[in-house]
Amino acid sequence: MYTLDESLWPLVIVQRSDTTTDKEMEGILQSLSKLIKRREPYVLVIDFSRSRPLTHSQRMMLADHQTQTADLAREYCKGFFVVINSATARLARAVTSFVRPSTDQHEVAASLDEALERAAVRFEQAGVHMGAFIARAQARRLKSGPAPSARHG
């Protein structure tokens, strides 16, 4: 299952949990295509910290999508971060990327907080200061956690 949150535009956060079906993967890719076709600068963060790896067919779907959208993505996607909180999974991804480089130029982050801080820097480098503000505000919200509930005793 996944959620794609555009409410923080130009920051877009995709969160995957558990497994993703091929139909859901098609939906993710259609949503990503729509982001690129907006022709506005944005930063994409995909949080894999609570999900299982993509299947081979899903990785192939993603590779095809990246090939089709590479030129526009390079122009408008100012940063692409993938959150992988498992050191073993990060190592496996690094080895795979070294052997077979990806066309999407993503960077791996160990936490959503780290990805948001790096997204803010990318926004600043691209001159999209509102994006940097939004990324840092979201990071602060995550650090503060949910508001404590009032207890009556």
Side-chain angles (χ1 to χ4, degrees):
M1 187 172 90
Y2 79 96
T3 58
L4 188 141
D5 184 359
E6 293 180 62
S7 68
L8 300 171
W9 184 263
L11 174 66
V12 178
I13 300 174
V14 177
Q15 293 188 300
R16 287 186 59 234
S17 60
D18 200 28
T19 59
T20 301
T21 66
D22 286 354
K23 186 173 178 92
E24 287 173 325
M25 187 66 182
E26 289 172 7
I28 292 171
L29 297 176
Q30 287 174 358
S31 296
L32 294 177
S33 291
K34 288 178 186 175
L35 295 176
I36 295 166
K37 290 176 183 174
R38 287 173 82 159
R39 295 178 184 266
E40 297 175 20
Y42 68 98
V43 170
L44 178 63
V45 175
I46 298 181
D47 184 359
F48 282 134
S49 63
R50 296 182 309 246
S51 67
R52 296 185 184 273
L54 296 174
T55 65
H56 176 72
S57 65
Q58 291 167 351
R59 288 191 306 273
M60 295 308 293
M61 291 165 61
L62 181 59
D64 288 345
H65 178 266
Q66 290 169 342
T67 299
Q68 293 168 9
T69 61
D71 291 338
L72 276 179
R74 269 192 293 279
E75 187 171 348
Y76 295 105
C77 185
K78 301 304 177 184
F80 178 9
F81 300 94
V82 177
V83 178
I84 302 174
N85 59 350
S86 162
T88 304
R90 281 194 308 275
L91 176 62
R93 190 164 181 102
V95 169
T96 302
S97 294
F98 180 76
V99 172
R100 187 175 181 186
S102 175
T103 58
D104 63 21
Q105 302 301 310
H106 69 273
E107 297 178 41
V108 176
S111 67
L112 185 53
D113 184 50
E114 177 188 337
L116 291 170
E117 181 52 40
R118 289 166 65 187
V121 171
R122 285 300 182 86
F123 277 127
E124 288 169 344
Q125 291 169 340
V128 184
H129 300 290
M130 182 54 75
F133 175 81
I134 290 168
R136 289 197 174 102
Q138 182 65 12
R140 281 191 300 277
R141 266 188 236 111
L142 289 174
K143 284 180 186 174
S144 67
S149 60
R151 295 182 104 171
H152 299 289

